[in-house]
């Protein structure tokens, strides 16, 4: 049902470094970039190559926390995202674990991105 998702960030380059560094273990990579004002809009894909996730510069002062869940192929990839986050000094909201209140097999880590968004790597395997 959802074709793509975009969030606005205070520093596009800092957010690109965060997402490509921390979520490399699930295959997230930058696939598109085009100028917007004095910055860029940046599109990311997973292994399929489709730019489903976008970052662009925020133009207003108001910011609300967004929640974004990125799909991981397995628990090892979720654990690798956690390890990359810890190594990068990223705030870990919830360490990797199974969340049976969501459904059996829901295994996820929750992190805080540079703009305060709650970002998750999750597998349903």
């Amino acid at each position: 049902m959802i074709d793509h998702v975009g969030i606005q960030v205070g520093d596009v380059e800092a957010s690109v470094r965060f997402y490509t560094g921390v979520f490399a273990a699930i295959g997230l990579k930058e696939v598109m970039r085009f100028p917007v004002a004095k910055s860029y809009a940046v599109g990311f894909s997973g292994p399929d190559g489709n730019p489903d996730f976008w970052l662009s510069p925020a133009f207003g002062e108001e910011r609300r926390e967004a929640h974004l869940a990125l799909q991981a192929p397995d628990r090892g990839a979720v654990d690798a995202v956690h390890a990359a986050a810890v190594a990068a000094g990223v705030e870990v909201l919830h360490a990797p674990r199974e969340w049976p209140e969501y459904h059996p097999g829901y295994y996820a880590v929750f992190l805080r991105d540079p703009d305060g968004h709650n970002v998750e790597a999750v597998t349903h395997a």
Side-chain angles (χ1 to χ4, degrees), residues 40-98:
Y40 295 92
V42 180
F44 300 89
S45 77
D48 65 4
N50 295 324
D52 301 326
F53 173 49
W54 288 85
L55 298 175
S56 60
F59 293 109
E61 289 301 314
E62 180 181 343
R63 295 214 180 111
R64 295 184 182 168
E65 179 181 332
H67 175 66
L68 177 68
L70 300 171
Q71 189 172 11
D74 54 41
R75 289 179 179 220
V78 171
D79 292 339
V81 166
H82 176 247
V86 169
V90 170
E91 179 184 357
V92 176
L93 299 173
H94 301 287
R97 71 171 177 90
E98 189 162 337

Side-chain angles (χ1 to χ4, degrees), residues 6-50:
I7 60 173
Q8 290 70 49
V9 297
D11 182 336
V12 172
E13 290 305 324
S15 290
V16 167
R17 286 190 301 276
F18 168 79
Y19 284 97
T20 57
V22 172
F23 293 98
I26 63 170
L28 184 130
K29 61 185 176 246
E30 179 180 334
V31 293
M32 282 186 133
R33 178 182 287 238
F34 60 87
V36 173
K38 295 180 180 180
S39 186
Y40 295 92
V42 180
F44 300 89
S45 77
D48 65 4
N50 295 324

